[in-house]
Amino acid sequence: MIQMVFPDKCVTYSTFINDLATVLVPKLKEAMENPSDIISQNRAFQLFGQGNIRRWREKGLVEPVSKRPGKIEFRLSDLRILQQRKQDYFE
């Protein structure tokens, strides 16, 4: 039986793979539902919260990309990077 040793615990390889799959499958499913890297402002509000999007824009952390006149769109990859950062609204 192969075991993986981490600083805080030791787990079997199959347990590690099962736990990893539990985390990755929802993310892959969401990526399949949103194949385009460009999403509308409305969809960004739904996925990340209106307050977060507005705060990130005010701080200059994200810029809208406009491929169509009159539409505000964002790169999904940029928003995901900001989502992974430590929360910054206490500053």
Side-chain angles (χ1 to χ4, degrees):
M1 179 183 320
I2 299 174
Q3 291 193 346
M4 298 187 72
V5 179
F6 295 96
D8 60 338
K9 66 172 117 176
C10 183
V11 296
T12 64
Y13 182 74
S14 62
T15 301
F16 173 74
I17 293 298
N18 287 336
D19 290 348
L20 184 62
T22 302
V23 172
L24 289 179
V25 167
K27 292 183 179 188
L28 290 172
K29 184 178 178 184
E30 184 177 341
M32 294 294 288
E33 291 172 358
N34 299 314
S36 173
D37 189 44
I38 305 295
I39 61 172
S40 68
Q41 178 175 269
N42 188 34
R43 183 71 177 142
F45 285 169
Q46 292 172 357
L47 292 174
F48 301 98
Q50 185 173 351
N52 288 331
I53 301 297
R54 292 189 188 281
R55 185 177 65 255
W56 294 336
R57 282 191 70 187
E58 288 173 3
K59 289 188 170 190
L61 299 174
V62 67
E63 291 294 323
V65 292
S66 184
K67 290 193 171 191
R68 298 180 293 165
K71 300 290 181 183
I72 298 175
E73 298 173 320
F74 298 96
R75 282 191 185 88
L76 186 58
S77 57
D78 293 343
L79 297 175
R80 291 203 188 281
I81 290 169
L82 290 171
Q83 181 186 32
Q84 297 300 320
R85 284 188 179 176
K86 183 178 177 183
Q87 295 179 355
D88 57 351
Y89 51 77
F90 292 116
E91 295 175 359

